[in-house]
Amino acid sequence: MKFPPRQIRRVLIANRGEIAVRIQRACRELGIEVVQVYSEADRQTMAVQLADYSVCIGTARSSESYLRADIVVEAAKAFNADAIHPGYGFLSENASFAHLCEQQGLVFIGPPGDVIAMMGDKASARAMALAAGVPITPGSSGTVATADAALAVAGTIGYPVILKAVAGGGGRGMRIVEQEASLAEHFEAASREAKAAFGDGTMYVEKYLIDIRHVEIQILSDGDNVLHLGERDCSSQRRNQKLVEESPSPGLSAAMRSEMGEAAVRLCRHVGYRSAGTIECIVDPARKRFYFMEMNTRIQVEHPVTECVTGIDIVKEQIRIASGERLSLRQDDIHIRGHAIECRINAEDPGNGFAPSPGRLDELHFPGGPGVRIDSHAYPGYTVPPNYDSLIAKLICWGNDRDEALARMQRALAELRVEGITTTAPFLAQLLASDTFRQGAVHTRFVEQFIQESAR
Ligand code: MV4
């Protein structure tokens, strides 16, 4: 598919926090000016201070600022921006926002709106995977309209099953059902929750696979040339929130790695994908099987892990693709070198059920040295607002192998100093010191088990 070239001189960043700073860095290196939008709560942020232009678009409440597609587009036009980068979260996977940008003559730095819609509906994404010859978990072919229909599917695939909302993702609108007797109530509850959260309560059913790994494949596509940039293991999650990600995935065989990469490329080619994107998979190490789970049509929080092992600046490539440039890289230019681990440093208190811990950073000292990368918007004296997600920094450590990356991460976590709020850093240091993590034997229930065992 031909994508008309469009010179991008000025980008409006419709996001905040560390990803806004990250996108600004990519723009600067490409000689592109930056317009930074901000809410009233974000007036004193680094992203605003670093930008060429900045404009307040509303109150602290996201629905009155970062989610206001109309105001964001108006700001882009008022500041003569050629393009909008949505980052992740907020409007990044909102197909109608992508369409609105296109209609208003603005380049949306991401995939076409139709592809966002197609892959954002999890049942339709599953159908695309099936059509592209990518393995999917046993389950319903399409959606299930009633609890009875879900019962019929569960009867054929066996329990446990997992009920998922087509409009969900990242674990929202999802229920695990262990036995037939409780399916109907779980179905109604999940559907109601999805309806309330996403405006769509439509559900589908999958066989629930236990003790699996959550492994995702990074994709870059210019609409013609589709590349995979290796995988990231994101199994270390708490309540579907990723805490630690790494690449390569421990224990993934070379055969499985190339099979997953090729499958991800096949699916993206099948749907006409363009930009950066991620194919999320379930890996069943015991059975040496993988299954398509869902696709993220945006840049992800954990993208630096892939940047560290490939040497590719994914955000710059995204912007180049959006300007109509062709990828200069070919698949055999992509080599995974060494090992990278990312820890998300959140303003939360693990000793108090991970309750948010906003407030002023009275002291902040980031680690450094060889193989240490910090992506953050925080600075000494910055006040972490209570209005948004609690991520204050991403600490990424690279090593020649996993042992070196792990040792470096432990050293860097010990060097990190934060006074004034509580963070997850000490908890993460303990998690990474556990035998399970050190052996690379993490599965998706590991973190919950680790927390329970630590609480005893
Ligand atoms: C699954 C699964 C096991 N079997 N689907 C989590 C959010 C979204 N990405 C889909 N997720 C999962 N889907 C089947 N058929 C395991 C996960 C999963 C998970 C589920 C519950 C609690 C934590 C989890 C962490 C990662 C993946």
Side-chain angles (χ1 to χ4, degrees), residues 123-124 126-127 139-144 166 203-205:
S124 119
R126 251 168 82 84
S140 54
S141 57
T143 59
V144 284
V166 299
M203 303 297 289
Y204 64 104
V205 185

Side-chain angles (χ1 to χ4, degrees), residues 87-251:
Y88 51 67
F90 295 129
L91 296 167
S92 64
E93 295 188 296
N94 181 321
S96 51
F97 176 65
H99 285 136
L100 178 63
C101 291
E102 288 154 10
Q103 284 151 20
Q104 295 292 315
L106 293 160
V107 173
F108 175 78
I109 299 178
D114 297 344
V115 176
I116 295 176
M118 181 162 48
M119 302 310 273
D121 174 318
K122 304 307 176 197
S124 119
R126 251 168 82 84
M128 291 295 121
L130 197 60
V134 175
I136 60 173
T137 45
S140 54
S141 57
T143 59
V144 284
T146 63
D148 284 345
L151 277 164
V153 172
T156 61
I157 58 179
Y159 291 86
V161 299
I162 186 166
L163 306 174
K164 295 182 178 179
V166 299
R172 294 172 303 167
M174 200 173 74
R175 287 290 189 289
I176 298 164
V177 182
E178 303 284 353
Q179 57 199 346
E180 181 180 30
S182 60
L183 186 143
E185 66 177 292
H186 280 304
F187 182 90
E188 299 309 339
S191 182
R192 256 197 318 277
E193 179 188 305
K195 179 76 177 165
F198 317 114
D200 181 352
T202 311
M203 303 297 289
Y204 64 104
V205 185
E206 292 181 358
K207 176 75 183 153
Y208 180 61
L209 303 178
I210 293 167
D211 290 348
I212 49 102
R213 306 186 87 115
H214 180 135
V215 179
E216 58 190 30
I217 308 289
Q218 179 66 59
I219 288 286
L220 261 184
S221 169
D222 59 15
D224 201 359
N225 185 9
V226 184
L227 302 176
H228 71 84
L229 275 57
E231 83 277 0
R232 292 184 292 262
D233 191 306
C234 305
S235 304
S236 299
Q237 303 191 19
R238 175 183 176 271
R239 295 185 184 175
N240 280 292
Q241 294 301 312
K242 296 166 183 172
L243 302 177
V244 182
E245 304 97 344
E246 64 180 302
S247 179
S249 170

Side-chain angles (χ1 to χ4, degrees), residues 22-148:
R22 172 69 185 89
I23 296 164
Q24 288 202 26
R25 288 170 170 160
C27 290
R28 288 235 175 286
E29 291 179 18
L30 291 171
I32 294 173
E33 287 188 322
V34 167
V35 182
Q36 182 63 54
V37 299
Y38 62 91
S39 74
E40 287 168 359
D42 283 335
R43 201 176 291 279
Q44 302 301 327
T45 56
M46 187 193 290
V48 170
Q49 291 160 24
L50 287 177
D52 299 290
Y53 306 92
S54 61
V55 56
C56 183
I57 55 168
T59 68
R61 191 190 300 269
S62 298
S63 57
E64 294 170 3
S65 49
Y66 296 109
L67 288 173
R68 284 293 300 270
D70 53 339
I71 298 177
V72 167
V73 165
E74 205 178 306
K77 294 173 76 170
F79 281 80
N80 298 317
D82 306 295
I84 294 181
H85 198 307
Y88 51 67
F90 295 129
L91 296 167
S92 64
E93 295 188 296
N94 181 321
S96 51
F97 176 65
H99 285 136
L100 178 63
C101 291
E102 288 154 10
Q103 284 151 20
Q104 295 292 315
L106 293 160
V107 173
F108 175 78
I109 299 178
D114 297 344
V115 176
I116 295 176
M118 181 162 48
M119 302 310 273
D121 174 318
K122 304 307 176 197
S124 119
R126 251 168 82 84
M128 291 295 121
L130 197 60
V134 175
I136 60 173
T137 45
S140 54
S141 57
T143 59
V144 284
T146 63
D148 284 345

Side-chain angles (χ1 to χ4, degrees), residues 311-327:
I312 294 168
D313 183 320
I314 296 171
V315 178
K316 278 163 75 173
E317 291 303 331
Q318 235 191 336
I319 296 166
R320 288 192 179 107
I321 288 166
S323 71
E325 273 184 50
R326 305 295 302 277
L327 281 170

